[in-house]
């Protein structure tokens, strides 16, 4: 697999930056990772990620996830980070159209000039903090940076298209394993009142039961699949199964380098970087809430459903005013109890 035209395309990107800024397709509307993946170099890396050898996939994945870091690494350091040899790094650079590693690293830096955002600067500042910083403070700072990056990557048109698919779907399946299973549960709870039928695919019984729940999925259905590092093989296999059966796939994941990105008809990115945890779920929850709110507000019928839901559960909420009908029934019940007590007293 050769991409000999990539270098030329990357060099020509500077000519289109002004047009991107004018049309709104530039970095200002996307996170650094998403914008870099959408560049010519990013497209070449995503192609390698899909079809390259195992070692080349590892390098492409690293470049897609750590563009800023790559610009400061030497070939030995990059080889060590990817657990490959320097010769493999050199072959990879030639494979995507560059004469050597240095030329590829320069191209990464050039592509980043048009996509670097304040979010990345915040991450760098976190990394440079003095010893006075605390793990809790750093974690909260990363959470804020992740939500900011996610907001930049989120497009209203993408949300609207997904809401339309969810509204029309006969069944909405929601899938997440491992660390993403609780996120799938949160999403399913939000969707339940406003979709025709919602099925949580992964639950008690593991992969075998999850596969059974997907047996009858069709082209009239939607599968919303969530996966963040660490990704599980089962979620990829089941998503491919649903895709092969014609279902619309909505992927909620962390980056274009994610294996779910290529499987989704629609993809929502939620940044998940964290200095200690395998991934942070903060931005993922924010995306789930954004999708749920968009669905709720998409039509008057859903607004009415939300009102009925609030009324139905109000009796179980602390401090809530009881509904008028419920109050009358309780007063009538109290009068009947009083009469029964009086009769008992007279009989004694």
């Amino acid at each position: 697999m050769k991409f000999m035209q990539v270098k030329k395309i990357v060099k020509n990107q500077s000519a289109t930056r002004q047009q991107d800024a004018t049309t709104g397709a530039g970095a200002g509307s996307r996170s650094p990772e998403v914008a870099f993946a959408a560049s010519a170099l990013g497209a070449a890396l995503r192609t390698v990620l899909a079809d390259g050898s195992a070692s080349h996939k590892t390098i492409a994945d690293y470049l897609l996830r750590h563009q800023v870091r790559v610009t400061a690494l030497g070939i030995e350091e990059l080889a060590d980070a990817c657990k490959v040899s320097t010769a493999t790094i050199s072959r990879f650079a030639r494979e995507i159209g560059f004469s050597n590693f240095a030329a590829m690293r320069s191209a990464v830096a050039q592509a980043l000039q048009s996509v670097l955002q304040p979010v990345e600067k915040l991450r760098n500042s976190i990394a440079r903090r003095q010893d006075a910083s605390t793990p809790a403070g750093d974690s909260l700072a990363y959470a804020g940076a992740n939500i900011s990056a996610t907001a930049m990557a989120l497009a209203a048109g993408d949300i609207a298209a997904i809401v339309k698919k969810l509204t029309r779907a006969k069944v909405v399946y929601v899938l997440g394993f491992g660390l993403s299973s609780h996120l799938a549960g949160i999403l399913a709870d939000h969707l339940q009142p406003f979709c025709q039928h919602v099925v949580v695919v992964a639950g008690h019984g593991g992969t075998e039961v999850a596969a059974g729940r997907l047996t009858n999925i069709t082209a009239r259905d939607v599968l919303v699949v969530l996966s963040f590092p660490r990704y599980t093989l089962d979620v990829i296999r089941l998503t491919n199964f649903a895709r092969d059966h014609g279902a619309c796939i909505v992927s909620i994941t962390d980056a274009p380098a994610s294996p779910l990105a290529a499987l989704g008809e629609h993809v929502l990115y939620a940044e998940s970087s964290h200095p200690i945890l395998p991934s942070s779920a903060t931005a993922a929850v924010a995306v789930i809430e954004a999708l749920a709110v968009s669905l709720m507000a998409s039509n008057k019928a859903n607004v009415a459903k939300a009102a009925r839901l609030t009324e139905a559960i109000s009796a179980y909420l602390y401090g809530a005013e009881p509904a008028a009908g419920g109050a009358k029934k309780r007063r009538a019940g109290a009068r009947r109890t009083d009469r029964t007590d009086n009769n008992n007293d007279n009989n004694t």
Side-chain angles (χ1 to χ4, degrees):
M1 175 174 47
K2 297 289 183 181
F3 305 98
M4 301 307 295
Q5 300 301 318
V6 172
K7 183 178 178 183
K8 179 179 179 181
I9 295 173
V10 171
K11 286 184 176 180
N12 289 338
Q13 280 185 323
S14 59
T16 64
R17 287 176 188 158
Q18 183 62 41
Q19 180 181 356
D20 286 344
T22 303
T23 60
S29 62
R30 293 174 290 182
S31 70
E33 289 84 357
V34 175
F36 180 83
S39 69
L41 177 55
L45 294 175
R46 285 187 285 117
T47 302
V48 176
L49 195 63
D51 301 321
S53 64
S55 59
H56 283 193
K57 284 182 178 181
T58 300
I59 300 169
D61 180 88
Y62 192 89
L63 265 63
L64 283 166
R65 294 181 183 277
H66 308 290
Q67 312 89 33
V68 175
R69 192 178 305 169
V70 167
T71 61
L73 294 179
I75 188 170
E76 294 85 1
E77 294 168 312
L78 179 59
D80 183 63
C82 297
K83 295 180 172 54
V84 298
S85 67
T86 56
T88 300
I89 298 290
S90 296
R91 283 196 298 271
F92 177 88
R94 292 193 297 271
E95 183 78 6
I96 62 172
F98 299 99
S99 58
N100 52 39
F101 164 75
M104 181 181 71
R105 184 178 59 184
S106 296
V108 171
Q110 184 179 1
L112 276 174
Q113 289 178 6
S114 63
V115 303
L116 193 62
Q117 295 292 332
V119 173
E120 195 61 46
K121 295 179 182 178
L122 175 57
R123 289 179 183 160
N124 291 338
S125 70
I126 293 171
R128 293 194 300 267
R129 281 185 175 183
Q130 298 179 351
D131 294 338
S133 66
T134 64
D138 288 350
S139 181
L140 291 171
Y142 265 82
N146 286 339
I147 290 177
S148 296
T150 298
M152 285 189 290
L154 201 61
D158 293 338
I159 291 285
I162 294 170
V163 165
K164 186 177 294 186
K165 293 291 180 65
L166 294 175
T167 301
R168 296 177 177 177
K170 181 180 179 182
V171 181
V172 175
Y173 295 87
V174 183
L175 172 62
F177 282 118
L179 295 175
S180 298
S181 61
H182 68 287
L183 296 174
I186 294 172
L187 177 59
D189 287 343
H190 279 304
L191 297 181
Q192 187 72 56
F194 310 106
C195 297
Q196 295 184 49
H197 185 47
V198 176
V199 174
V200 179
V201 178
H204 297 295
T207 305
E208 183 178 351
V209 173
R213 291 192 177 114
L214 282 177
T215 300
N216 296 319
I217 196 168
T218 70
R220 299 175 62 187
D221 304 324
V222 172
L223 172 66
V224 184
V225 56
L226 304 95
S227 189
F228 295 86
R230 313 170 180 115
Y231 312 109
T232 62
L233 286 174
D234 288 338
V235 79
I236 307 303
R237 291 168 179 155
L238 291 176
T239 301
N240 273 316
F241 174 85
R243 189 183 183 191
D244 292 342
H245 283 73
C248 172
I249 307 299
V250 175
S251 299
I252 302 179
T253 190
D254 63 312
S258 164
L260 280 186
L263 298 179
E265 181 178 334
H266 304 281
V267 183
L268 296 178
Y269 293 112
E271 291 280 337
S272 66
S273 301
H274 197 277
I276 297 175
L277 299 174
S279 61
S280 168
T282 308
V285 173
V287 167
I288 288 170
E289 292 180 352
L291 181 58
V293 169
S294 299
L295 177 61
M296 291 171 63
S298 62
N299 59 66
K300 293 181 179 179
N302 282 351
V303 175
K305 288 179 184 177
R308 290 197 298 272
L309 177 63
T310 300
E311 182 180 355
I313 67 175
S314 62
Y316 304 96
L317 301 179
Y318 176 80
E321 288 293 332
K328 291 179 180 178
K329 291 179 181 178
R330 280 190 290 274
R331 285 197 295 270
R335 285 195 294 270
R336 287 194 297 271
T337 301
D338 290 341
R339 286 196 297 269
T340 301
D341 291 341
N342 290 335
N343 290 335
N344 291 335
D345 290 340
N346 292 333
N347 291 332
T348 57

